[in-house]
Each structure stands twice: as structure tokens, then as C-alpha cells.
């Protein structure tokens, strides 16, 4: 069974204090790893898809990386508007199209 | 940009009512999904559809049914609403093989009294 574990559950940063969120996964035959951002009361917003170990993608202050066992979402010099829940998901194995989601990391950035 | 819309942002219903939640996507995506999201339980898949008139059960289908008569529209039906179905309901779509990235709608917060 596919499993995704995100850590920490919650992270509080000061504005400008860079850090990383972790997503550890167990899946048979990874096809893709997905990062989403979710603001309170809204649907998840797609950020990145990573397909193979060593791949990296960037968007503004966010950079996602992938290894064979985990993915990191690096946040450089965060701003209060980066506060949100960040969700990680994977696709793999025989369950085409279905994603397995982690529980998310709640990020709070204080000014 | 991909756009997924849901018929209501907030909905209040009575126990025993039949409830329809509708989702429409405008990008000609093959796959559509219904999830519910509850604090501490994360996103849970209710039903999904790979094609028009096709549906498959997700992880928690009990008490729900779905309908997909047209490619762009996927409806979730609560046959007889119960208080434990109070939740945030999220619809998503994805293009189809080999692309599995899902794009989500804004969500419907349902309260069953």
C-alpha cells in the first residue's frame, strides 16, 4: 500500500527564515510526486510535479527536490503570504490516476 | 489555466435530504474525482471516473453515489444525508494518461443538521 508521511506537522517561521518541509513516501514504481498549497477554506492549488530522483523545480521562493525515498519543499526567505498548508501526494503502482496524499504541513510565517 | 468549478461554496441541509454536489471542468480532462477533507483525516477519495458514464469506488464510497453523463461534469450524490457527512467536499480533474496531475475546485463546505 502506498504511504506518504509529511513532517513536521506544523512549522512556524519568522519572515526571511528559510526552511524545508519533508515528504517521505513508500510506493511501488513511483510515477509522480506532487506538491500542493492549500489556504484555509479553499481547494488545493497545484505547485509542482516531480517524476524522477534528482529532479528539481522552482517557483518564486519555493523549490521542490526529489530523491528515491523523499521529497523536500525548500522555502527561501518566506513571507507571511506563504502561510498555508502544504500537501504532498504520490502516484504509482497499478492505481493509475489515483493519488495518495500526506496529512500536510501547516506553515505559519510571522512578520 | 485549468478551471474546476463547484456548484456551491457553502450548503446547509437537513438529515435525510438528498444532496447533489456538482463539479464542472473546462479543460476536456478525462479523469474526475470527488474527495472529502476532514481535520486530522486528510483527503479521502470517495469516487472517481476515468471516462463518461464510468465510475469507480474510492476509499470511502458508503452513503454516496456519482453521475457522469457528460465529460465535463461529475456529480456527487448523498442519497440520504447524515450528520457524519458534514465535511469539506473537493472535486478534482486530471488530463488522462500519462498525465496524473490533479487540479482542484474551490470546495463545498456542507453542513448537515
Amino acid at each position: 500500500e502506498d504511504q506518504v508521511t509529511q513532517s513536521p506537522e506544523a512549522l512556524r517561521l519568522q519572515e526571511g527564515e528559510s526552511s524545508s518541509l519533508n515528504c517521505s513516501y513508500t510506493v511501488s514504481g513511483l510515477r509522480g510526486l506532487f506538491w500542493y498549497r492549500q489556504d484555509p477554506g479553499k481547494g488545493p492549488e497545484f505547485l509542482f510535479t516531480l517524476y524522477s530522483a534528482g529532479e528539481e523545480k522552482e517557483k518564486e521562493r519555493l523549490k521542490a527536490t526529489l530523491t528515491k525515498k523523499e521529497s523536500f519543499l525548500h522555502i527561501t526567505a518566506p513571507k507571511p503570504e506563504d502561510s498555508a498548508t502544504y500537501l504532498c501526494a504520490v502516484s504509482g503502482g497499478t492505481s493509475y490516476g489515483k493519488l495518495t496524499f500526506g496529512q500536510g504541513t501547516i506553515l505559519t510565517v510571522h512578520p | 489555466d485549468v478551471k474546476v468549478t463547484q456548484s456551491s461554496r457553502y450548503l446547509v441541509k437537513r438529515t435525510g435530504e438528498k444532496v447533489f454536489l456538482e463539479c464542472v471542468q473546462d479543460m476536456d480532462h478525462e479523469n474526475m474525482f470527488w474527495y472529502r477533507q476532514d481535520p486530522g483525516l486528510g483527503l479521502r477519495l470517495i469516487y472517481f471516473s476515468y471516462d463518461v458514464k464510468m465510475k469507480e469506488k474510492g476509499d470511502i464510497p458508503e452513503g454516496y453515489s456519482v453521475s457522469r453523463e457528460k465529460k465535463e461534469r461529475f456529480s456527487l450524490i448523498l442519497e440520504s444525508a447524515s450528520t457524519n457527512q458534514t465535511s469539506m467536499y473537493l472535486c478534482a480533474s486530471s488530463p488522462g494518461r500519462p498525465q496524473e496531475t490533479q487540479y482542484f475546485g474551490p470546495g463545498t463546505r456542507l453542513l448537515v443538521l
Side-chain angles (χ1 to χ4, degrees), chain A residues 48 56-65 72-76:
Chain A
F48 306 108
E56 299 182 352
K57 288 194 176 173
E58 287 188 67
K59 180 180 180 179
E60 296 181 358
R61 295 176 293 282
L62 301 176
K63 178 180 174 180
T65 61
F72 293 94
L73 186 65
H74 306 278
I75 304 176
T76 302

Side-chain angles (χ1 to χ4, degrees), chain B residues 13-20 36 61-65 76-86 89 110 112-113:
Chain B
K13 295 293 181 181
R14 296 281 178 189
T15 301
E17 279 193 74
K18 192 168 186 176
V19 181
F20 293 87
R36 63 179 284 178
E62 296 77 21
Y64 303 94
S65 63
L76 180 69
I77 303 155
L78 286 65
E79 297 292 342
S80 177
S82 63
T83 55
N84 63 13
Q85 292 178 310
T86 291
Y89 288 88
L110 172 66
V112 182
L113 300 174

